[in-house]
Amino acid sequence: MQRERWYKDMVFYQIWPRSFKDGDGDGMGDLWGVLEKLDYIKGLGCDGIWFSPIYPSPGADCGYDIADYMDIAPEFGGMEAFRKVLDGCHERGMKLIMDLVVNHTSDEHAWFQKSRQRIEPYSDYYIWRPAKPDGTLPNNWDSNFEGKAWTWDEVRGEYYLHLFAVKQPDLNMDNPLVREEVKKILRFWLDMGVDGFREDVITYISKKEGLSDDHLFPIYKGMPNYNHGPHIHEYLEEFKRDVFDHYDCFTLAEAPLVWPRQALKYIDEENGQLDMMIQFQCQCADCLFTDYLPTKFSLRRMKKAFSDWQYKLAGRAWNMLYIENHDHPRIISRYGSEKFWKESGKTLAVMYLLQQGTPFLYQGQEIGMLNWRPEDAEMYEDVQTRYNYAHSNLNKSPEKRLHKMWRSSRDSARTPVQWDDTENAGFTTGTPWFYVNDNYKTINVAAQEKDPDSILNFYRRTIKLRKALPVVRHGQYREHFRLDMRRYVYSREMEGQKLLVICSFSDRPVKMKIPAGFDLSRAELVLQTHKDAGDTLQPYESRVYLWNE
Ligand code: GLC
């Protein structure tokens, strides 16, 4: 049966629940707060929401350590609030997708508690190994967050594998019973009316037999043994065949290290097992490998990454477009300029929103929120940040070390959404669970609502344009002036309609450059970041031209 791929016409909004909006005054964002803001989200032109985890969790990794997959955490409002949000979305013609985190659970999940006591059928639900005969760890793998990937469990008398935090033991997906549990979870939410899933680090779920030492990777040792592992496609196919094929839903896979050709094995529309993929390449224009090693932002690297995905997926698969989420610092602070805050915020929006794919916005991105700057490293909450701070750059000055964290920490983008200029930025009437960025008096939703020239209103205009123009969905992508270090210029073309997107990433004025074959005298200027459109592009200026033939 040919599926209707409705997600191709949509724009999604990501909610990282603890910092979105507090509805009950306890200082923690919740679903009551979301309910209040559904019209705001819809008003942005977004027609779908992705919720980062809202299940019961001890919070060792802000909800990515799940203790119960079939419930909603009481601090977020429980099932009662969730059903209201789900209905509220559907009444507005919006979709809702959940985060599926099944590479690992919390160590407080009942399965783990039983597994460590060898209670059947749970004893083989996780990846347990004895020490090596010489008493050392089962292998040399690193976890992605906290040192080595193995922790000793006194109760069981064995080590368990955790590719993330110590409190996030990896599930043994090779066990058919575990896969049945996953299917149960999927059906539970889909039967309730949820419209799909974002699948957390899903490419990690199948580990190579033998779990041997890794002599290939200098950091993240072990990754070649579990990323895109031996049975990954088989397991994903099983989930699709047994569950997804029976529902009108879509799937979005998170893949930390993936290239377009490899991605096609997952998301090719002919025979893939999933619909879209969150890749990290476009997020690595200012870092080597990942955010741990921040380097200078490179426009060329960014353009190459975006273009690669546009070219290589064309006609075969659909892109997921994003520039921010809860795992990366704020984009203006990274790829743009805090000095040219408004201009670069708008240019970043145009740059990605008019490409092929389904765009996602991360809460606060639409008002140009910036990286939070703590005075002290103790103020960081995130498990990954705390570990990195304690173990890296130890020979540098405290200021330098803090600055590095500011540039790379996930907490830089996890502060509460700035709704207005009242106390706590209007996020809560209580004491916020986390720090509010000091700049909330100037950067907030209420102020930008009133200003027609704000980043917020610019996002609205750009999304509206995206939805109005068939060429944005169907047009062929082409990058121009590939080697240019200051401009990103691309076009989208289909029969009868042509679009040219010109973005300056320079903090100085630069000359306009028009690719051959684009006659501006016959074009309509349909979007611009600056008022006058002369021969010079002002710092971070963008323009979009349209030809209807
Ligand atoms: C994904 C999530 C991230 C989480 C990790 C472990 O990368 O996006 O927030 O910490 O997986 O679940």
Side-chain angles (χ1 to χ4, degrees), residues 61 64 104 145 164 198 200-201 254 326-327 410 414:
D61 184 19
Y64 282 89
H104 44 267
F145 282 176
F164 292 89
R198 176 261 189 193
D200 190 68
V201 289
E254 188 201 26
H326 65 295
D327 286 334
R410 311 194 291 181
R414 291 181 172 186

Side-chain angles (χ1 to χ4, degrees), residues 41-60:
I41 296 169
K42 174 93 184 161
L44 291 170
C46 294
D47 16 41
I49 292 178
W50 151 28
F51 274 112
S52 277
I54 43 182
Y55 316 96
S57 156

Side-chain angles (χ1 to χ4, degrees), residues 283-298 301 333-335 403-404 407-408:
Q283 285 294 328
C284 285
D286 66 348
C287 46
L288 288 173
F289 197 54
T290 75
D291 288 341
Y292 303 115
L293 302 172
T295 60
K296 224 170 154 251
F297 167 65
S298 154
R301 210 183 312 165
S333 307
R334 300 178 67 194
Y335 289 9
H403 183 73
K404 277 190 183 289
R407 281 195 58 192
S408 62

Side-chain angles (χ1 to χ4, degrees), residues 253-476:
E254 188 201 26
L257 201 62
V258 69
W259 283 265
R261 195 132 48 99
Q262 207 167 20
L264 285 170
K265 292 193 194 140
Y266 295 86
I267 57 170
D268 190 311
E269 287 181 8
E270 286 282 307
N271 50 23
Q273 311 94 55
L274 301 157
D275 295 316
M276 287 192 285
M277 184 158 266
I278 306 178
Q279 42 86 11
F280 284 37
Q281 268 183 301
C282 296
Q283 285 294 328
C284 285
D286 66 348
C287 46
L288 288 173
F289 197 54
T290 75
D291 288 341
Y292 303 115
L293 302 172
T295 60
K296 224 170 154 251
F297 167 65
S298 154
L299 178 63
R300 288 254 292 275
R301 210 183 312 165
M302 184 196 83
K303 294 199 298 185
K304 183 172 182 326
F306 273 99
S307 292
D308 258 8
W309 285 85
Q310 291 289 305
Y311 287 129
K312 293 187 182 149
L313 262 49
R316 295 186 61 185
W318 195 248
N319 275 288
M320 182 273 187
L321 304 168
Y322 78 107
I323 50 175
E324 282 197 8
N325 68 28
H326 65 295
D327 286 334
H328 305 283
R330 291 286 180 185
I331 200 70
I332 297 179
S333 307
R334 300 178 67 194
Y335 289 9
S337 155
E338 293 198 355
K339 181 168 164 217
F340 293 101
W341 162 70
K342 192 190 268 190
E343 295 82 352
S344 66
K346 289 180 182 180
T347 272
L348 283 158
V350 186
M351 182 277 293
Y352 91 109
L353 282 173
L354 298 178
Q355 300 204 8
Q356 183 261 32
T358 297
F360 281 64
L361 270 63
Y362 172 61
Q363 62 189 35
Q365 175 190 330
E366 73 278 15
I367 55 165
M369 278 179 66
L370 298 174
N371 278 1
W372 166 67
R373 198 183 279 279
E375 292 124 41
D376 188 323
E378 280 304 307
M379 293 162 81
Y380 283 116
E381 274 284 325
D382 171 34
V383 54
Q384 184 191 31
T385 307
R386 292 179 74 92
Y387 184 87
N388 285 347
Y389 183 80
H391 294 86
S392 55
N393 304 305
L394 298 178
N395 54 350
K396 302 252 160 52
S397 69
E399 295 74 38
K400 273 223 171 91
R401 294 182 69 206
L402 256 188
H403 183 73
K404 277 190 183 289
M405 286 296 117
W406 169 84
R407 281 195 58 192
S408 62
S409 168
R410 311 194 291 181
D411 275 349
S412 295
R414 291 181 172 186
T415 54
V417 171
Q418 296 159 205
W419 294 104
D420 56 40
D421 64 2
T422 63
E423 202 181 351
N424 300 322
F427 162 70
T428 179
T429 51
T431 307
W433 76 277
F434 197 41
Y435 302 93
V436 174
N437 197 318
D438 291 341
N439 63 21
Y440 74 93
K441 296 252 180 214
T442 44
I443 301 180
N444 64 65
V445 173
Q448 295 195 27
E449 288 283 7
K450 286 187 240 142
D451 174 9
D453 188 41
S454 63
I455 298 182
L456 175 64
N457 282 314
F458 190 79
Y459 263 94
R460 290 186 174 132
R461 283 203 290 281
T462 314
I463 292 173
K464 200 162 160 202
L465 184 71
R466 177 183 172 94
K467 293 197 167 175
L469 297 178
V471 72
V472 179
R473 170 159 173 175
H474 302 288
Q476 199 184 355

